[in-house]
Amino acid sequence: MDQIKQVAIVGGVHGNEFSGIYLIRHYQQQPQWITRSSFQCQTIWANPEAHHANKRYLHSDLNRQFKTADLANPNLSNYEQSRAKVLNQQLGPKGNAKTDLLIDLHNTTSNMGACLILTQAGPFYNQLAAYVKMQMPEAIISRDEDHIAAQDHALMCTLGRYGVLVEVGPQPQSVLRHDVMDLMHRMTQHILDFVQLYNTNTVPNLPKQTEAFRYLTSIKLPVNEQGERLGMVHKNVQDKDYHPIHRGDPLFSLFDGGVIYYEGENTVYPTFINEAAYYDNNLAMSLNEKVIIELP
Amino acid sequence: MDQIKQVAIVGGVHGNEFSGIYLIRHYQQQPQWITRSSFQCQTIWANPEAHHANKRYLHSDLNRQFKTADLANPNLSNYEQSRAKVLNQQLGPKGNAKTDLLIDLHNTTSNMGACLILTQAGPFYNQLAAYVKMQMPEAIISRDEDHIAAQDHALMCTLGRYGVLVEVGPQPQSVLRHDVMDLMHRMTQHILDFVQLYNTNTVPNLPKQTEAFRYLTSIKLPVNEQGERLGMVHKNVQDKDYHPIHRGDPLFSLFDGGVIYYEGENTVYPTFINEAAYYDNNLAMSLNEKVIIELP
């Protein structure tokens, strides 16, 4: 029987996402919150230097450094690339990890609420998603390229044998919001509770169908040939993460007064709308389809 | 008769407050928006290097460098201190400025809407406040230490013969929101319209009384003797800028589960609640009293 013996809760992969950093401090001071009888749980502060600099990262995005090939590449040696190798040693090694479940805590400036992001598929994840959604109906379940093998995923949560990402917003970079902290704490507690039930073979009856959003593609802000931005996310879309976008709906407001409309045939559901951290790549939002997670 | 002949609209004093930077670019491309018959209007990008670094400032907060004594002090020579001296030469000199009115555009992560901040008092400001509030009822008028002489004020807007600060939020640092941009544009247009009416002696009948908020003091996040934060702004206060705080209302939620309550005798009105940029000084919010601006 599958058993989850070692859990790691990771905060501060991004230095200006404060909720995870403060939540693992809280758990360090009050370890009863992460204590369950059937597994060990540790807390990890992934990128302290980025937090001290009050930035997402110093040199590279730490949450893009965990492809198996990159972890083995000695030429990738800047601060975050080095942190990834150390974390891989500490919690991995990826592909044969001593960590059975890695829970990676993140914030977004987008209005995404409490979102459980799954980057792999399988019975454990399907039951976890159904349980979290049942206990916390306002939670969002997201499937993020879970068709890609773990070894080719760059996200830190793919370092564990199992791994999930808890993404909570909206919270400006470098701010700690009480309501966002509460949501992150509640979702993390439900995940730990599920692991306890899973290990002890006492998972309750779960809904047979759970709604989720599956990542399709990202779209960029409009720019000119010099790379200068020509517009911004339209106010009709701003803060409407997970709301449907139909053909003909406005996407961008141009500074010259024009509007760019969605021209796709299929209805899509946006996430990470106007996320501050994605401006460096001019990403405006991710587009998703709605899917159903089925339990047997 | 008092005439305002030279107006300067300043954006990007803080490099990660995007609305002003993009609004002055918009005005540069479509100058009809800042053209009025009775005055000249120029746009100024105050701190480009901070924007390129995607930070509030490189070395010092540029919006704290404009005391007359500091502008004259050659030992204050880092990037922002140097920028202040250059801007003083370009738009000032402070105390005898060629700029009759300086409009300084800012964002806050706090839920402050469109706020017109006055740091000096007098008939021009009183009429301007009454006009803006009449045209834009959702606007907030703020009096920020307007009893202090301009020469002792450190804010950039005090460089002009007249000066105001347009503060719009909530907007995360390093994000451009369409709705926030619209609010900043609308308030700026009302200010320019008022100057035109003022210069041509055609100011319409204004309300005799206009509600405003006057800064009293700032309060800090709770910290221990090592300077570590012990709590965060309570969710009952978060986003409630300008809402009354009465004795006994919660202010802070402590990580150990406790709550700190407001103990003052007088009802106060908070602004800049949980503003990201003020974390370096552990400032949690400003407290204000409600006042009335009276016209004769």
Side-chain angles (χ1 to χ4, degrees):
Chain A
M1 205 182 83
D2 186 29
Q3 286 282 300
I4 291 172
K5 289 299 185 189
Q6 298 292 336
V7 174
I9 305 178
V10 179
V13 165
H14 295 133
N16 56 11
E17 299 177 6
F18 281 17
S19 301
I21 297 169
Y22 279 88
L23 189 57
I24 63 167
R25 280 187 200 167
H26 177 54
Y27 289 160
Q28 286 159 8
Q29 282 158 12
Q30 302 195 5
Q32 71 271 21
W33 285 110
I34 57 171
T35 304
R36 304 289 188 282
S37 64
S38 68
F39 59 87
Q40 298 291 315
C41 187
Q42 63 178 318
T43 57
I44 302 287
W45 188 8
N47 196 339
E49 290 300 329
H51 182 61
H52 296 144
N54 199 17
K55 294 170 70 171
R56 182 175 174 89
Y57 54 81
L58 294 188
H59 302 118
S60 304
D61 190 330
L62 178 56
N63 208 26
R64 303 291 182 272
Q65 305 305 324
F66 287 90
K67 288 183 183 174
T68 300
D70 291 347
L71 291 169
N73 181 347
N75 296 323
L76 300 176
S77 58
N78 72 22
Y79 179 66
E80 278 80 12
Q81 291 159 349
S82 301
R83 284 300 300 156
K85 290 174 170 60
V86 171
L87 292 162
N88 186 46
Q89 195 170 43
Q90 192 176 352
L91 303 173
K94 186 166 178 174
N96 186 27
K98 55 182 94 58
T99 302
D100 294 301
L101 173 63
L102 195 153
I103 305 170
D104 188 16
L105 306 176
H106 284 262
N107 292 122
T108 171
T109 66
S110 305
N111 187 27
M112 286 173 62
C115 182
L116 178 67
I117 300 181
L118 311 175
T119 67
Q120 296 289 280
F124 169 80
Y125 291 108
N126 292 346
Q127 290 180 70
L128 172 65
Y131 179 82
V132 168
K133 183 80 177 171
M134 180 175 80
Q135 295 294 341
M136 194 176 174
E138 74 271 38
I140 299 286
I141 311 299
S142 168
R143 291 195 165 283
D144 186 10
E145 304 198 280
D146 59 6
H147 60 290
I148 297 178
Q151 66 176 13
D152 298 323
H153 259 290
L155 299 179
M156 172 147 189
C157 63
T158 63
L159 176 57
R161 183 162 69 85
Y162 295 115
V164 297
L165 200 149
V166 173
E167 182 80 67
V168 191
Q171 182 166 274
Q173 293 178 341
S174 310
V175 165
L176 186 66
R177 285 181 65 106
H178 187 185
D179 53 355
V180 169
M181 182 88 150
D182 278 357
L183 282 174
M184 182 178 279
H185 171 59
R186 286 175 52 215
M187 182 171 272
T188 304
Q189 290 301 309
H190 289 310
I191 295 169
L192 297 179
D193 289 344
F194 173 77
V195 173
Q196 173 74 4
L197 296 166
Y198 183 84
N199 282 342
T200 55
N201 211 12
T202 55
V203 175
N205 284 330
L206 297 174
K208 295 296 177 203
Q209 299 197 319
T210 299
E211 182 185 273
F213 294 89
R214 196 175 75 89
Y215 173 82
L216 294 170
T217 187
S218 299
I219 56 174
K220 293 201 170 196
L221 291 164
V223 296
N224 66 16
E225 289 175 0
Q226 289 76 47
E228 297 162 340
R229 290 179 199 132
L230 299 175
M232 54 194 160
V233 170
H234 196 280
K235 57 187 169 188
N236 287 20
V237 186
Q238 178 73 48
D239 302 331
K240 300 287 184 2
D241 298 76
Y242 317 117
H243 290 232
I245 296 179
H246 305 290
R247 184 184 179 88
D249 286 344
L251 286 180
F252 299 110
S253 171
L254 301 176
F255 301 128
D256 70 5
V259 175
I260 294 180
Y261 299 91
Y262 175 63
E263 295 185 343
E265 290 293 338
N266 298 320
T267 295
V268 288
Y269 301 83
T271 52
F272 291 107
I273 298 170
N274 219 3
E275 159 60 47
Y278 298 165
Y279 270 54
D280 50 0
N281 292 317
N282 279 322
L283 293 178
M285 67 192 77
S286 300
L287 300 181
N288 301 262
E289 62 179 345
K290 212 182 263 193
V291 295
I292 299 293
I293 293 175
E294 307 259 6
L295 291 187
Chain B
M1 207 181 80
D2 185 31
Q3 287 281 298
I4 290 172
K5 290 299 186 189
Q6 298 292 335
V7 175
I9 305 177
V10 179
V13 165
H14 295 134
N16 55 11
E17 300 178 4
F18 281 17
S19 301
I21 297 168
Y22 279 88
L23 189 58
I24 63 168
R25 279 187 201 167
H26 178 54
Y27 290 160
Q28 286 159 8
Q29 282 159 10
Q30 301 194 7
Q32 70 272 18
W33 285 110
I34 57 171
T35 304
R36 304 289 188 282
S37 64
S38 69
F39 59 88
Q40 299 290 315
C41 187
Q42 64 178 318
T43 57
I44 303 286
W45 188 8
N47 196 340
E49 290 301 328
H51 183 61
H52 297 142
N54 199 18
K55 294 170 69 172
R56 182 175 173 88
Y57 55 80
L58 294 189
H59 301 118
S60 303
D61 189 330
L62 179 56
N63 208 26
R64 303 292 182 272
Q65 305 304 326
F66 287 91
K67 288 183 185 174
T68 300
D70 290 347
L71 291 168
N73 182 347
N75 295 322
L76 300 176
S77 58
N78 72 22
Y79 179 64
E80 277 80 12
Q81 290 159 349
S82 301
R83 285 300 299 155
K85 289 173 170 60
V86 171
L87 292 162
N88 186 46
Q89 194 171 43
Q90 192 175 353
L91 303 173
K94 187 168 178 174
N96 186 27
K98 53 183 96 56
T99 302
D100 295 301
L101 173 63
L102 195 154
I103 304 169
D104 188 16
L105 306 176
H106 284 262
N107 291 123
T108 171
T109 65
S110 306
N111 187 26
M112 287 175 60
C115 182
L116 178 66
I117 299 181
L118 311 174
T119 67
Q120 297 289 280
F124 169 80
Y125 293 108
N126 292 346
Q127 291 180 68
L128 172 65
Y131 179 82
V132 168
K133 183 78 178 171
M134 181 176 78
Q135 296 292 340
M136 193 176 175
E138 74 271 38
I140 298 287
I141 311 298
S142 169
R143 291 195 166 283
D144 186 8
E145 303 197 281
D146 58 6
H147 61 289
I148 297 178
Q151 67 177 12
D152 298 323
H153 259 291
L155 299 178
M156 173 150 187
C157 63
T158 62
L159 177 57
R161 183 162 70 84
Y162 295 114
V164 297
L165 201 150
V166 173
E167 182 80 68
V168 192
Q171 182 167 272
Q173 294 178 341
S174 310
V175 166
L176 186 66
R177 284 181 67 105
H178 188 187
D179 54 354
V180 168
M181 182 87 152
D182 278 358
L183 282 174
M184 182 178 278
H185 171 58
R186 285 174 52 216
M187 182 172 273
T188 303
Q189 290 300 309
H190 289 310
I191 295 169
L192 297 178
D193 289 345
F194 173 77
V195 173
Q196 173 74 4
L197 296 166
Y198 183 85
N199 281 342
T200 55
N201 210 11
T202 55
V203 175
N205 284 329
L206 297 174
K208 295 298 177 202
Q209 299 197 317
T210 298
E211 182 186 272
F213 294 88
R214 197 176 75 90
Y215 172 82
L216 294 171
T217 188
S218 299
I219 56 175
K220 292 201 171 195
L221 291 164
V223 296
N224 65 15
E225 289 175 359
Q226 290 76 47
E228 297 161 341
R229 289 177 200 134
L230 299 175
M232 53 194 161
V233 170
H234 195 282
K235 58 187 168 187
N236 287 19
V237 186
Q238 179 72 50
D239 303 330
K240 299 287 184 5
D241 299 76
Y242 316 118
H243 290 232
I245 296 179
H246 305 289
R247 184 183 178 87
D249 286 346
L251 286 180
F252 299 110
S253 171
L254 301 176
F255 301 129
D256 70 5
V259 174
I260 294 180
Y261 299 92
Y262 174 62
E263 294 184 343
E265 291 292 340
N266 299 322
T267 295
V268 289
Y269 301 83
T271 52
F272 290 107
I273 297 170
N274 220 1
E275 159 60 46
Y278 298 165
Y279 270 53
D280 49 359
N281 293 316
N282 279 321
L283 293 178
M285 66 192 75
S286 301
L287 300 181
N288 301 263
E289 61 179 345
K290 211 182 262 193
V291 295
I292 299 293
I293 293 175
E294 307 258 6
L295 291 186

